[in-house]
Amino acid sequence: MVGIIDEAQLFYPLGTRIKIANNYGTVKYVGEVSGHMGTWLGIEWDDGMRGKHNGMVDGKRYFQTQMPTAGSFIRPGKLGPCATLEDEARERYLNYDSKNVDTSLIREAQASMQASLFEVVGMDKIARKQSKFEQLTEMSVDETPVNAAGYLKDLTQLTTLNVSHTLIWNWEIVASITQQLPMLNSLNLGSNRLVLPTETQISELAPAFRHLKHINLGNCGFTDWQDVMQTALLWPDIESLGLQENALSQLDVVDCNRIFRQLRELDLHRTKLMDFDQVCKLGNIRTLSVLNLMENGIEQLQLPDCEPQAKLNMFVSLEQLSLMQNPIWNETEAFNELDKLPQLKRLNKTPHLKSSFDEMFSKAVASIAGIQFINKAKVSAEERRGAEYDIWKKYALDWLQATKLGADALRDFYKKHRTYLLIVNKYGSPADFVPRIQAKQSNLIKVRIQHRLTGEVWEKKVPRMITVQTLQGLVMKRFHIAGDTPHLCYIDAKHPELVVQLENNAKTLDFYSVQEHDTVLVE
């Protein structure tokens, strides 16, 4: 019996990854189970609902799982054979026919060409390319029973490797792969569970990762940021790191002399980050330019305080930030906070439930001085002018009151509206708008409607709450316009150099701040 147990422990050391059907797990115990014959493997399943207990059976603790029903016992004989990366790669890329062309490459080809399977031409050419084993530059063996390297030195051109959803379970295995692939710069280890490296292992294995630039550790079971920082000692000069779908709710300041020395891209989407204060702890990573925080529970953005016209000495290289699918409740405050970041140029964000993309776009452009793209939409000079003009008028009364109350009040105003001083310097004092805002009593305003092509002018009293779409209908009828709906914009009577586009047909004239005697241009 002892010999059998020793043999099982030899083949399945603690931490070994196993797979049955589509279920992945980690070996947490090898040995006998009271009341049952033979040797058993205690498994903690990745799917916390897959097991029957938490490692305790009949009052005896054999191992501990994170979830109460993630554990179960299985016989070693129930497990299938494992494989080396070499074997799986040769099986996938050499033994090809029209039925076993790498589906990963097919998906990539479809995505790049936006084509369906039946529209992809020349798949036999892809298959022939795959067969040139030594010339491969990209390889994927995801969802295979790989748990060892094998001989890989023939792959002298390989730059990208996907070993996600495999049975790789420690960094010694990973190092035995990477040290044979001198051209490798991108490695996907997603959905594996890797044993935390010791200090000795870090010292011995780190040279094997020096040539890597991109590592994906998405859904690798990290729950403690300290474990991430310890693992990162293996590759301190990594440029791109994926940590998506790891349950990391707490972060910590990193020592950038030891890790993340050249980190440019960090993916933390769907990581259970709910407090933006945790994100701020990463602000000392001075090389970070792209940060993905999609699908977390962030409700409010709060950065450290700074003077209204100053920028923070944190996230000094951050140019792109993704906040898509976060329940941020106050967009105006959030955008004002983001203006504190010195280099922010690209922002991805889902509009608030009570907002729309156009409204969010306008707020962001007016509130973040250096922003150039919102959700990949480039901000034009005309859109920037319109957004700045709206905020210029919107806060005119607040600004005027602050100027009368003194320097402290004005400073507080500029803290809440960081770009307003820049807008005032650009367009001048908004004081002219204050009496008009205070005098808003009538629901009707008299505007000049001018047909640009014919020069014909129509003076008309219209409701402030009339929509752009309704006004377009009146204009088409008045000027006998057939065919396409005309485009409208307006010129402010007191500031004729400013032309504001009436782009959203569902919005009202009041939304666009159209006032008495303004001129609506029909194009």
Side-chain angles (χ1 to χ4, degrees):
M1 180 66 70
V2 174
I4 296 175
I5 293 177
D6 289 343
E7 184 178 351
Q9 290 173 337
L10 177 65
F11 280 101
Y12 302 102
L14 299 186
T16 301
R17 296 284 287 165
I18 61 98
K19 180 182 179 183
I20 296 178
N22 292 321
N23 297 292
Y24 289 83
T26 302
V27 175
K28 294 290 186 176
Y29 172 82
V30 182
E32 296 180 337
V33 176
S34 180
H36 299 274
M37 294 289 292
T39 301
W40 295 82
L41 302 180
I43 306 299
E44 180 175 10
W45 299 101
D46 294 0
D47 179 358
M49 304 301 291
R50 169 68 172 78
K52 298 179 179 179
H53 50 73
N54 65 356
M56 179 181 286
V57 178
D58 295 331
K60 183 176 179 179
R61 170 69 62 191
Y62 294 91
F63 59 98
Q64 181 68 56
T65 65
Q66 292 186 12
M67 302 290 288
T69 57
S72 63
F73 287 102
I74 62 171
R75 295 285 193 184
K78 193 174 181 181
L79 299 177
C82 296
T84 65
L85 174 57
E86 175 194 7
D87 291 338
E88 284 295 331
R90 291 187 181 278
E91 175 69 23
R92 182 170 291 193
Y93 290 89
L94 290 180
N95 299 333
Y96 74 89
D97 58 31
S98 60
K99 294 181 180 180
N100 69 3
V101 175
D102 186 354
T103 55
S104 298
L105 288 185
I106 291 179
R107 289 195 296 269
E108 291 174 12
Q110 291 170 341
S112 64
M113 293 185 287
Q114 296 183 341
S116 71
L117 175 62
F118 302 103
E119 294 171 325
V120 176
V121 179
M123 276 299 150
D124 59 324
K125 294 182 180 179
I126 293 179
R128 287 197 298 273
K129 180 180 179 182
Q130 292 177 27
S131 71
K132 298 176 182 178
F133 194 67
E134 294 79 4
Q135 298 178 25
L136 284 171
T137 59
E138 299 182 6
M139 177 183 290
S140 176
V141 291
D142 59 319
E143 299 188 9
T144 61
V146 168
N147 73 346
Y151 184 81
L152 304 171
K153 292 184 178 180
D154 289 339
L155 298 168
T156 56
Q157 305 300 313
L158 195 69
T159 62
T160 302
L161 176 61
N162 178 6
V163 286
S164 63
H165 283 99
T166 58
L167 302 184
I168 293 173
W169 63 280
N170 63 49
W171 286 97
E172 289 95 334
I173 298 172
V174 182
S176 67
I177 293 171
T178 58
Q179 65 189 3
Q180 297 186 67
L181 304 171
M183 298 298 291
L184 188 70
N185 61 55
S186 182
L187 178 63
N188 185 353
L189 291 165
S191 298
N192 293 309
R193 299 291 187 271
L194 299 164
V195 175
L196 194 66
T198 64
E199 291 185 8
T200 301
Q201 289 171 331
I202 290 169
S203 177
E204 294 174 350
L205 301 178
F209 302 108
R210 285 175 181 165
H211 51 295
L212 289 182
K213 296 183 183 298
H214 314 283
I215 291 181
N216 179 22
L217 292 174
N219 190 29
C220 282
F222 285 107
T223 59
D224 190 332
W225 184 250
Q226 296 296 325
D227 292 346
V228 173
M229 292 195 292
Q230 181 169 337
T231 303
L233 290 168
L234 288 166
W235 18 265
D237 295 311
I238 201 71
E239 295 181 11
S240 175
L241 176 60
L243 291 170
Q244 67 277 10
E245 298 184 355
N246 287 289
L248 296 165
S249 59
Q250 302 285 322
L251 304 181
D252 205 349
V253 177
V254 302
D255 182 354
C256 291
N257 292 318
R258 303 187 68 202
I259 61 172
F260 298 163
R261 296 186 296 219
Q262 298 184 48
L263 187 65
R264 290 175 172 78
E265 299 183 14
L266 180 59
D267 189 348
L268 290 171
H269 87 260
R270 208 179 296 164
T271 52
K272 297 189 177 180
L273 283 170
M274 302 182 71
D275 186 351
F276 199 76
D277 287 344
Q278 297 298 319
V279 179
C280 290
K281 294 178 181 179
L282 305 178
N284 69 318
I285 306 176
R286 302 186 70 83
T287 56
L288 189 63
S289 62
V290 179
L291 179 59
N292 185 356
L293 298 173
M294 286 176 58
E295 297 184 72
N296 285 293
I298 299 170
E299 296 183 350
Q300 185 178 15
L301 267 62
Q302 184 69 51
L303 288 158
D305 196 20
C306 69
E307 289 300 310
Q309 301 310 308
K311 300 291 186 180
L312 291 171
N313 186 28
M314 62 186 298
F315 292 116
V316 294
S317 298
L318 188 65
E319 295 187 0
Q320 181 171 322
L321 176 63
S322 179
L323 293 168
M324 298 287 283
Q325 303 298 331
N326 279 284
I328 297 170
W329 57 270
N330 191 320
E331 289 181 338
T332 301
E333 287 185 3
F335 296 148
N336 189 65
E337 289 294 304
L338 291 176
D339 182 66
K340 297 176 181 178
L341 300 178
Q343 297 294 332
L344 188 62
K345 295 178 176 64
R346 296 172 177 264
L347 177 65
N348 297 322
K349 183 186 175 301
T350 310
H352 190 278
L353 291 175
K354 295 183 179 180
S355 181
S356 67
F357 173 77
D358 290 335
E359 291 178 32
M360 182 192 73
F361 184 92
S362 181
K363 289 178 188 176
V365 171
S367 302
I368 308 173
I371 205 71
Q372 296 178 5
F373 291 85
I374 306 290
N375 294 5
K376 298 184 179 180
K378 184 173 177 58
V379 180
S380 68
E382 189 174 322
E383 288 168 330
R384 185 177 303 280
R385 185 169 58 248
E388 291 174 342
Y389 184 56
D390 285 344
I391 199 173
W392 185 46
K393 295 171 70 173
K394 181 176 181 179
Y395 297 112
L397 180 58
D398 293 341
W399 175 83
L400 186 61
Q401 290 175 340
T403 59
K404 292 178 180 179
L405 291 173
D408 289 344
L410 190 59
R411 181 172 174 273
D412 290 341
F413 172 83
Y414 284 138
K415 278 193 171 185
K416 294 179 181 178
H417 311 287
R418 290 176 49 85
T419 59
Y420 204 81
L421 181 58
L422 297 175
I423 293 172
V424 169
N425 292 337
K426 189 173 183 179
Y427 299 116
S429 170
D432 290 341
F433 293 113
V434 174
R436 296 167 66 181
I437 293 172
Q438 292 174 327
K440 280 187 178 180
Q441 295 178 353
S442 174
N443 289 326
L444 296 176
I445 53 173
K446 186 176 183 180
V447 295
R448 297 177 73 253
I449 303 174
Q450 181 178 342
H451 194 300
R452 257 190 172 172
L453 185 62
T454 65
E456 184 179 354
V457 174
W458 177 32
E459 293 194 354
K460 172 72 173 174
K461 281 190 174 184
V462 295
R464 293 182 186 275
M465 300 308 293
I466 191 174
T467 64
V468 174
Q469 184 177 29
T470 302
L471 183 59
Q472 286 173 324
L474 294 175
V475 165
M476 292 181 72
K477 185 175 181 180
R478 175 64 176 77
F479 293 122
H480 307 292
I481 298 173
D484 294 337
T485 303
H487 177 74
L488 304 181
C489 60
Y490 83 90
I491 301 173
D492 189 281
K494 290 199 173 184
H495 299 273
E497 73 279 4
L498 294 175
V499 178
V500 179
Q501 303 298 320
L502 305 181
E503 295 178 326
N504 191 331
N505 292 350
K507 298 300 181 183
T508 64
L509 297 190
D510 187 65
F511 171 82
Y512 284 108
S513 302
V514 178
Q515 304 291 339
E516 190 91 3
H517 305 304
D518 287 347
T519 299
V520 176
L521 298 178
V522 182
E523 299 176 320

